Amino acid sequence: MRQFHATVHGRGEPVLFLPGGGFTGSQGQLFAEALHNDFEVHLLDLPGFGESEGLHTFATSKVLADWVETYRISRRLESVRLIGHSMGGAIALAHAVHYPDQVRHLILLDQGHKPNAMLPYREYGIFGFALPLLRLLYHHSPRRLLNWIETKVNKSDPTFSEERFQLFCRRIGVEPTLSIRSAVEQSARLSTGGLHLLFGYDGLDFKDLLRRVQVPTHLYYADFTGIDLKEAKRTLHHVKRAERLLHPSVQLIAVPGGHFVQWSRHFSMENVERFLHT
């Protein structure tokens, strides 16, 4: 397994796309299709998810920033534009905070404006309800726990089916498209090194990182209208608090719908292109 697995599309100044947890870089295919005429778009697998080698230590924000920086240097890239969704957005945000001189623009997809839920069942399913106990075990007996979870996760049935795909789209509130189908079909295999990322991500202070970022940033956040009234109220509360503390270079943009904002019919790729060209 290589340290980094990425597919590269187009030519021009580099754009790095970092997917959400459980997905490969193929989740960013719609960005590659939209931007490849003007940019060189790198679709990366996250460390320990898919084909990228996992981390060997607990994933602090600096460890995650260094991971992106190592990739940038290995590809001999000048300053980059970063796009990240969910877990990938947290990694992109960490890189922009720790290496601001190397980041031209940052696009966050439903990441940074509010903390993780204590029981993140929306992101992790039934696994989310066990997360408080697993956090404790990870910090006291990490090797045994990581090996056990890896075995359980990778015994699950990875078979793609039309029924599962349609159910996934209904659950997240999006219309099924070929781009979404491709991303779901290529779901990422989780390794032990990916679990270092998972538990490190769980402990990140997203709002503190967002307050510290000073590079030009667009944060597209899900407002959960028509999806989850409780989460919609929680989101609005945190957005109002965040707006008072952000650097002027950071702009928050609401997208009607759920967590996968880039797949919403309300998401504007034209705005993304204009922003990246500034």
Side-chain angles (χ1 to χ4, degrees):
M1 182 175 287
R2 292 171 289 177
Q3 183 177 7
F4 303 101
H5 180 268
T7 60
V8 182
H9 307 261
R11 298 182 65 181
E13 296 184 353
V15 173
L16 310 187
F17 175 82
L18 303 171
F23 289 89
T24 67
S26 66
Q27 190 196 36
Q29 186 61 41
L30 74 169
F31 292 99
E33 293 172 357
L35 302 174
H36 74 276
N37 287 330
D38 299 308
F39 298 97
E40 182 181 87
V41 184
H42 299 238
L43 306 181
L44 280 85
D45 288 3
L46 300 185
F49 285 85
E51 299 301 320
S52 288
E53 180 183 328
L55 301 174
H56 301 289
T57 187
F58 183 71
T60 65
S61 67
K62 184 60 165 60
V63 167
L64 297 176
D66 289 347
W67 183 82
V68 178
E69 183 65 3
T70 300
Y71 178 80
R72 187 191 68 80
I73 292 171
S74 72
R75 290 296 186 113
R76 297 184 174 87
L77 304 177
E78 298 296 332
S79 56
V80 297
R81 295 164 171 85
L82 296 174
I83 304 174
H85 173 244
S86 194
M87 185 180 289
I91 298 173
L93 178 57
H95 186 256
V97 168
H98 290 286
Y99 294 97
D101 293 341
Q102 305 302 337
V103 179
R104 296 279 299 277
H105 298 83
L106 173 65
I107 293 178
L108 300 173
L109 305 171
D110 208 43
Q111 181 57 274
H113 55 299
K114 60 184 178 182
N116 263 338
M118 285 300 295
L119 296 173
Y121 63 90
R122 182 181 301 279
E123 292 82 358
Y124 304 140
I126 192 67
F127 177 75
F129 290 101
L131 201 56
L133 175 61
L134 296 175
R135 289 185 190 113
L136 181 65
L137 293 174
Y138 172 79
H139 290 291
H140 286 83
S141 184
R143 176 54 54 189
R144 180 178 299 178
L145 176 67
L146 295 178
N147 290 339
W148 178 81
I149 293 178
E150 182 177 14
T151 299
K152 294 295 183 182
V153 169
N154 291 317
K155 278 185 177 178
S156 61
D157 181 11
T159 306
F160 176 85
S161 70
E162 184 63 24
E163 182 180 4
R164 286 188 177 188
F165 173 63
Q166 295 293 334
L167 178 62
F168 172 78
C169 290
R170 287 197 299 272
R171 182 171 63 84
I172 67 173
V174 300
E175 294 295 324
T177 66
L178 290 177
S179 177
I180 299 174
R181 182 188 300 274
S182 176
V184 174
E185 281 185 307
Q186 299 179 56
S187 59
R189 181 183 182 277
L190 176 65
S191 73
T192 300
L195 290 165
H196 284 305
L197 169 57
L198 177 64
F199 284 103
Y201 167 76
D202 177 61
L204 292 176
D205 188 337
F206 306 130
K207 293 198 298 181
D208 177 66
L209 288 170
L210 190 65
R211 283 194 294 266
R212 293 165 59 188
V213 74
Q214 297 188 16
V215 304
T217 300
H218 277 185
L219 192 164
Y220 292 90
Y221 68 90
D223 67 8
F224 288 91
T225 55
I227 302 291
D228 185 328
L229 178 59
K230 182 177 179 181
E231 190 63 24
K233 291 180 178 178
R234 177 175 177 261
T235 298
L236 182 60
H237 168 74
H238 284 291
V239 165
K240 286 183 175 179
R241 291 187 63 183
E243 286 177 330
R244 297 195 298 266
L245 302 171
L246 298 181
H247 189 271
S249 63
V250 180
Q251 181 179 353
L252 274 59
I253 303 165
V255 179
H259 178 56
F260 291 82
V261 291
Q262 68 272 33
W263 290 338
S264 167
R265 62 186 177 87
H266 302 284
F267 183 75
S268 174
M269 191 62 74
E270 290 78 11
N271 286 346
V272 168
E273 293 182 63
R274 282 196 294 269
F275 176 61
L276 294 180
H277 278 292
T278 58

